[in-house]
Amino acid sequence: MHARWSLNARAAALVLAVMALLLGPAGAAIATPPVTLGSGYILDDAGVLAPPAAADAEERLQRFREESGLDLWVVFVDEFTDPASSADWANQTALDNGLGPTQYLLAVATESRQFYLSGDSAGPVTDEQLGSIEQNDIQPALAAGNWAGAIDATAEGLAEATGTGTDDGGSSSSNGSSGLLPLLAVGAVVLAGFVLVGWVLLRKRRHPSPSAIEAPAMPTEELERQASAALVATDDAITTSAQELGFAKAQFGDEATAAFSDALERARAALTEAFSLQQSLDDETPDTDASARAAYTRILELCAAANADLDAKAADFDELRKLEQNAPEALVRVEDERVKAAASIEAADAALAALGARYAPEAFATVSDNPDQARARLEFATDQLAEAQRDVGAGRGGEAAIGIRAAEDAVDQARLLEKAIDDLAANLAEGERQAAALVSELETDLATAASLPDPDGRVAAAALATRRSVDEARKLLVPPSRPLAALEALRAANEQIDAVIAGVRDAQARDDRARQQLSQAMLQAQAQISAADDYITSRRGAVGATARTRLAEARASLAAAQQLQGTDPASALAQAGRAAQLAAEATSVAQRDVGSFDGGGFGGSGSGSNGGAGMLGAVLGGVVLNSLLGGGSRSSGGFGGLGGLGGFGGGGSRGGSRGGSFGGGRARPASFGGGGTRGRRGGGRF
């Protein structure tokens, strides 16, 4: 398929040629740093498109979006700077503007004659296809000075690569005639060229480059959207990177993977700070627009730093694992792990049934579908391993590695889902024990309160409320019980009665009391966090930024409680209580997200590696990029194409030879690296 130029595009090219011959350079080239994209698809800071050509191109790209489901932005500047590399400049612009896997950016420096087509290699067009579009479609048009034609060529190249191209009668080069344009038409075009010379020069004077004037500030709402997207993508990157690192540690040991562990910890620290900022924005304290913008900007900076740390180690990590070279051995290893995980599902069923016999449904709601989810992950793993086996037999090591990595992630999630049932059972049993002990303790407190002087009736009121809480907790502890809910109610009652009788205790006694309560509070917080973490990790393909923020802040509060327990037990107790509350909120929000998840277009029907429960589970679990496979919906924090991936990586942006072909059933998990790498090609000059 060849680029088709409209008459307006031809006229624009002719005008520019006339200008170049008659006028020479219009002025010194202006170096431009990465730009902020506007509401349209075209940003012409170099002034190379006349208004009619720009309007035609904008309309063409709108149609391209409707026909292909892809987005293409085009930027013309004089020269690239900060960075000067065409690839780095285009990729940085794409990242700064939050472009996702189905969104592409063509950046052209008209004076230095450089260009680059930035595309996320987790998207539907492979790096090889993007390179071909650059060489065969874009470069010839740019070399001819046909700026509008380069836009058409890019769009049609992308459409051809994804099989979504349609005839565009409005941009045909022939207009139904194979002969020369009539002489009158040629004269009109030349005349139009002279008329437009003045417009171009005037634009150069009146519309300086963004380096000469300050670009309009991005709306706060857009900053918020980008920060939400970055949090989700980076959290997925770190979660999946930790999984991939775990595989590498098991295979090569801690010493060989120390550098990757360090990078992961730095990324986690940055993300923790980012989540803390998001939590401060979500709390009840109003924020000024300036403070909110500063916080969102800092979140984006921290997420970029986290991804950059992972990106810096991506190539080394791939070299360490070498799944492509060791595909046969890796295939045997992952298949063995799949068999073991499958053998444990019946035990998970039995453990879940035991929970159902002893506890109320809401007490184990976070694991109620875990065996089914584990089966879905293993179904997906089975399909991927079967395809990988065929690839190994055919000598396709790279393709086999893709399936092996996806299967490896899915098996690991199946084990996590099974283990979560046992973990919750242990937490519920310990909650029962501690709740029973707290009931006895409160009975003692009530006896103490009855002996205190009560001139204003405050002691009696607190004692009455405590008695009601104790009675309610006793009911919650009767099978089918809700021990963690009972423990929470008892803790609240304990704090209330303690506040009343605190006046008769000295500071040391209060600290001793807080230490006694702290172990109960820490257990509850850890249990709530563990349940929320397991739920979100195994369903991260559907969970948005809000639940992740609450969970991250819950972890931070629990860590603060652990640090304070030896020196300030009262403050530690407050932090532990906050951690439990935030973890409960995280679970609730995550459950709503999962409830509104549309399955990425798979809907649970069908069979094979591209349908059925296996693929649906892989999409839900983040093993396969949701947006790559058709895009599901999330109930909070719309974040475009920055959904989760399985494997060690960040934000869905991969490069090099790690991708697979789009379509045909091959899932493409990520590997070690962050979201900063959108491509591995060189762009070019024209």
Side-chain angles (χ1 to χ4, degrees):
M1 182 182 298
H2 299 285
R4 297 185 292 257
W5 305 343
S6 66
L7 183 58
N8 284 330
R10 291 175 177 270
L14 182 56
V15 167
L16 294 173
V18 171
M19 289 170 54
L21 290 173
L22 296 181
L23 301 178
I30 301 175
T32 305
V35 297
T36 298
L37 302 177
S39 59
Y41 284 111
I42 306 295
L43 181 61
D44 181 17
D45 282 327
V48 296
L49 293 176
D56 284 351
E58 186 70 42
E59 181 182 355
R60 170 72 176 91
L61 294 182
Q62 292 287 350
R63 289 198 306 273
F64 173 66
R65 173 68 177 88
E66 295 168 1
E67 295 166 358
S68 68
L70 307 177
D71 292 293
L72 171 63
W73 280 267
V74 181
V75 175
F76 294 104
V77 297
D78 288 345
E79 292 182 355
F80 298 133
T81 189
D82 298 329
S85 160
S86 58
D88 292 343
W89 193 97
N91 290 337
Q92 189 61 52
T93 298
L95 290 167
D96 289 348
N97 288 273
L99 302 195
T102 59
Q103 298 174 322
Y104 296 85
L105 172 70
L106 172 61
V108 181
T110 58
E111 297 294 336
S112 59
R113 304 187 68 80
Q114 295 173 279
F115 74 98
Y116 187 82
L117 177 58
S118 175
D120 191 322
S121 56
V125 183
T126 67
D127 285 342
E128 292 76 15
Q129 289 172 316
L130 290 172
S132 176
I133 294 170
E134 287 177 334
Q135 180 179 357
N136 299 323
D137 300 325
I138 302 174
Q139 198 273 343
L142 293 176
N146 186 7
W147 314 110
I151 298 172
D152 278 354
T154 307
E156 294 193 14
L158 292 171
E160 182 178 11
T162 56
T164 57
T166 59
D167 289 337
D168 185 358
S171 62
S172 172
S173 62
S174 65
N175 284 331
S177 173
S178 59
L180 295 174
L181 288 173
L183 180 61
L184 183 60
V186 174
V189 170
V190 174
L191 178 61
F194 285 103
V195 172
L196 287 172
V197 165
W199 169 82
V200 174
L201 292 176
L202 185 61
R203 187 188 188 284
K204 281 285 187 180
R205 295 191 185 100
R206 292 186 178 178
H207 299 280
S209 169
S211 63
I213 59 173
E214 185 176 353
M218 183 182 298
T220 303
E221 293 76 11
E222 177 62 17
L223 269 178
E224 180 181 6
R225 187 198 69 78
Q226 290 192 16
S228 177
L231 285 170
V232 170
T234 308
D235 190 39
D236 280 343
I238 289 173
T239 298
T240 54
S241 293
Q243 288 179 324
E244 189 83 352
L245 181 58
F247 303 146
K249 282 186 175 181
Q251 188 173 0
F252 303 108
D254 291 343
E255 184 176 353
T257 56
F260 309 115
S261 297
D262 291 344
L264 183 60
E265 288 309 309
R266 289 192 298 271
R268 279 175 170 155
L271 182 62
T272 296
E273 183 180 343
F275 272 130
S276 180
L277 286 169
Q278 183 62 54
Q279 178 63 33
S280 70
L281 291 166
D282 291 345
D283 64 20
E284 296 177 356
T285 305
D287 299 288
T288 65
D289 185 67
S291 64
R293 292 180 63 83
Y296 289 132
T297 300
R298 179 59 178 159
I299 288 171
L300 290 169
E301 291 173 351
L302 289 164
C303 289
N307 281 282
D309 253 331
L310 299 179
D311 274 333
K313 296 294 182 183
D316 290 343
F317 189 88
D318 285 347
E319 180 65 20
L320 175 68
R321 292 203 76 196
K322 292 183 179 178
L323 279 181
E324 294 186 16
Q325 298 179 24
N326 303 317
E329 296 84 352
L331 185 63
V332 172
R333 173 176 55 80
V334 177
E335 172 61 21
D336 182 61
E337 293 169 354
R338 186 200 65 80
V339 170
K340 291 177 181 177
S344 301
I345 288 187
E346 290 187 6
D349 284 327
L352 185 63
L355 291 179
R358 185 170 181 176
Y359 302 108
E362 53 267 39
F364 60 94
T366 58
V367 300
S368 59
D369 67 339
N370 277 27
D372 290 339
Q373 290 290 340
R375 287 187 174 90
R377 303 300 193 278
L378 294 176
E379 177 187 330
F380 175 80
T382 299
D383 292 339
Q384 292 299 308
L385 290 173
E387 191 166 355
Q389 183 66 67
R390 291 192 291 271
D391 289 331
V392 168
R396 296 189 297 265
E399 292 295 306
I402 295 169
I404 292 168
R405 179 174 284 120
E408 192 174 40
D409 290 346
V411 170
D412 189 62
Q413 279 201 14
R415 288 197 298 254
L416 172 66
L417 288 158
E418 294 166 358
K419 181 177 178 292
I421 299 173
D422 293 333
D423 290 345
L424 181 60
N427 286 329
L428 290 172
E430 179 62 15
E432 283 182 310
R433 187 192 69 76
Q434 291 206 15
L438 195 49
V439 166
S440 298
E441 187 177 333
L442 283 169
E443 292 289 359
T444 302
D445 284 345
L446 288 170
T448 300
S451 66
L452 296 175
D454 189 21
D456 56 6
R458 288 188 300 119
V459 175
L464 179 60
T466 300
R467 171 55 62 194
R468 289 173 178 165
S469 295
V470 169
D471 292 343
E472 182 62 29
R474 290 184 190 277
K475 295 177 183 178
L476 291 172
L477 292 172
V478 174
S481 65
R482 297 173 56 197
L484 295 181
L487 188 60
E488 182 177 2
L490 290 168
R491 281 191 55 254
N494 203 18
E495 290 177 5
Q496 184 178 19
I497 196 70
D498 280 349
V500 172
I501 64 178
V504 298
R505 302 178 186 272
D506 59 23
Q508 183 60 50
R510 286 197 300 272
D511 283 351
D512 290 343
R513 184 71 168 175
R515 287 190 179 92
Q516 293 172 6
Q517 298 173 25
L518 190 55
S519 64
Q520 300 152 358
M522 298 278 272
L523 167 74
Q524 184 193 4
Q526 185 59 66
Q528 294 275 52
I529 289 173
S530 178
D533 194 7
D534 289 343
Y535 187 84
I536 291 173
T537 296
S538 57
R539 296 161 179 84
R540 62 183 179 272
V543 178
T546 300
R548 298 165 191 253
T549 298
R550 300 297 181 273
L551 178 58
E553 192 66 11
R555 291 195 193 102
S557 290
L558 181 58
Q562 291 167 340
Q563 291 175 351
L564 291 168
Q565 60 184 339
T567 57
D568 189 354
S571 296
L573 184 63
Q575 288 287 350
R578 181 173 184 266
Q581 178 185 358
L582 287 166
E585 291 179 15
T587 299
S588 178
V589 174
Q591 287 174 325
R592 288 200 300 270
D593 287 352
V594 172
S596 64
F597 181 60
D598 68 7
F602 291 91
S605 61
S607 61
S609 64
N610 256 353
M615 181 59 77
L616 178 62
V619 173
L620 177 61
V623 175
V624 175
L625 182 63
N626 182 24
S627 61
L628 172 62
L629 296 172
S633 65
R634 303 180 191 239
S635 63
S636 64
F639 30 78
L642 291 174
L645 281 169
F648 199 127
S653 298
R654 307 305 309 144
S657 61
R658 288 196 289 262
S661 58
F662 182 75
R666 174 45 54 92
R668 209 163 27 165
S671 184
F672 194 111
T677 304
R678 286 182 52 89
R680 302 292 192 211
R681 302 168 321 284
R685 290 180 55 82
F686 57 89

